[in-house]
Amino acid sequence: MSRMVGTVSRGVRAPIIRSGDDLVEIVTASVLEAANQPKDGFEIRDRDVVAMTEAIVARAQGNYASVDDIAADVKAKLGGETVGVIFPILSRNRFAICLRGIAKGAKKIVLMLSYPADEVGNHLIDLDMMDEKGVNPYTDVLSLEKYRELFGYNVHPFTGVDYVAYYMELIQECGAEVEVVFANDPRAILNYTKNVINCDIHTRVRTKRLLKAAGAEKVFGLDEIMTAPINGSGCNEKYGLLGSNKATEETVKLFPRDCQSLVESIQKKILEATGKHVEVMVYGDGAFKDPVGKIWELADPVVSPAYTAGLEGTPNELKLKYLADNDFAALSGDDLKAAIKDKISQKDGSSLVGNMVSEGTTPRRLTDLIGSLCDLTSGSGDKGTPIIYIQGYFDNYTNE
């Protein structure tokens, strides 16, 4: 009988990870123990994928920074006076503790929020109401007073938080003055201060370029704050505070650093234990959008900060329903199955981009696709499965 199961994604339970733990040993042992379970076990095969959350990697590394560490870095880099903080995402987990550190490193914060939504889709303003009020998001700069007059007090549909009030109170609690404005052109902040921290994630390079060309004096992205240890803290040389998460009310867990050797060591250890060559990756946020809350999940700078070489590239697939409806429309049953399998077997590895028979497949990076699958499998709550084991991802209809 032909094989009937394709891709399988499993959550693998692991111990609670603490700073200093040996993840090579823990991940390998967890995978092997899961595979050997008498009831839910599985056979480890070549090209299976082992993935682990960035959270356990950063925790094992002890990669943390405190509010005071962030404040010291901000003060040293921007001077400790008035600082423009522009385009932050609206998140207690992702940004609130970072903002506390920034506020403690300045006398005044001019907080400039994008509207109607932040970069990842958290809305401050209803689109229909914005149209009704005649507000042009491309050109209009709104003061806090104008924003309240037009739109009142709006709470996030999932968290119930008014982020404008929340961020203002947070800044004031840290001893800084605060002024809030709403704009989408980063250069608008230069009417208030020439010293800026731009907090956008995926548009940060363009934002910095525009600010510098318009006369900003000091411009740092979140990726340039905490790029080196402060008083023995953690850091991330490449991403700074980007990808950080709240650990406590006084600390953030930074995005993991230097984890390429980790994925390669796990790959080697599983090969030694099983004789099978698996692929290994670290994953953070998946890259997908919620259709109800309009939130785009990817608040990390990348989906995967480290992965083994076999995960480089994009899928190169044929669209089976296109073949069935076009090339082999006259066939059915076993004849159709045989014709499609033969067509797949003729792929020579060259790119199918632009070929009609591949239209509608997903030409995204493998790490983005697999990382999204992992993020959905592990969730962000109490499942206790920070390791994901995927089988059959690189199979196709010809594999038996």
Side-chain angles (χ1 to χ4, degrees), residues 246-285:
K246 176 181 178 179
T248 70
E249 294 299 329
E250 294 294 325
T251 58
V252 292
K253 175 190 62 59
L254 301 171
F255 209 51
R257 54 194 292 220
D258 302 329
C259 41
Q260 187 61 37
S261 62
L262 170 67
V263 297
E264 291 174 357
S265 295
I266 292 171
Q267 183 184 58
K268 180 180 178 182
K269 197 166 186 67
I270 292 177
L271 178 62
E272 291 170 350
T274 67
K276 301 299 181 181
H277 184 92
V278 301
E279 304 297 343
V280 184
M281 66 182 287
V282 177
Y283 69 94
D285 278 345

Side-chain angles (χ1 to χ4, degrees), residues 245-354:
N245 285 270
K246 176 181 178 179
T248 70
E249 294 299 329
E250 294 294 325
T251 58
V252 292
K253 175 190 62 59
L254 301 171
F255 209 51
R257 54 194 292 220
D258 302 329
C259 41
Q260 187 61 37
S261 62
L262 170 67
V263 297
E264 291 174 357
S265 295
I266 292 171
Q267 183 184 58
K268 180 180 178 182
K269 197 166 186 67
I270 292 177
L271 178 62
E272 291 170 350
T274 67
K276 301 299 181 181
H277 184 92
V278 301
E279 304 297 343
V280 184
M281 66 182 287
V282 177
Y283 69 94
D285 278 345
F288 47 83
K289 185 172 182 176
D290 178 76
V292 176
K294 309 294 190 295
I295 299 169
W296 183 41
E297 175 72 6
L298 187 54
D300 286 328
V302 290
V303 172
S304 178
Y307 50 89
T308 50
L311 297 177
E312 188 64 60
T314 60
N316 199 45
E317 301 173 342
L318 300 174
K319 195 76 169 179
L320 297 192
K321 62 184 181 182
Y322 179 88
L323 292 173
D325 290 343
N326 291 273
D327 296 40
F328 308 123
L331 302 178
S332 62
D334 289 341
D335 290 339
L336 175 60
K337 182 177 180 180
I340 288 178
K341 283 189 172 184
D342 183 60
K343 189 75 171 181
I344 293 172
S345 68
Q346 292 174 23
K347 289 193 300 182
D348 59 5
S350 58
S351 175
L352 293 170
V353 173

Side-chain angles (χ1 to χ4, degrees), residues 41 79 98 147 170 201 203 211 255 265 291 300 354 364:
C98 296
Y147 168 82
L170 187 152
I201 306 161
T203 55
L211 287 168
F255 209 51
S265 295
D300 286 328
R364 293 162 56 192

Side-chain angles (χ1 to χ4, degrees), residues 283-288 297 370-380 388:
Y283 69 94
D285 278 345
F288 47 83
E297 175 72 6
I370 297 171
S372 298
L373 174 60
C374 291
D375 190 23
L376 289 167
T377 302
S378 62
S380 57
I388 304 299

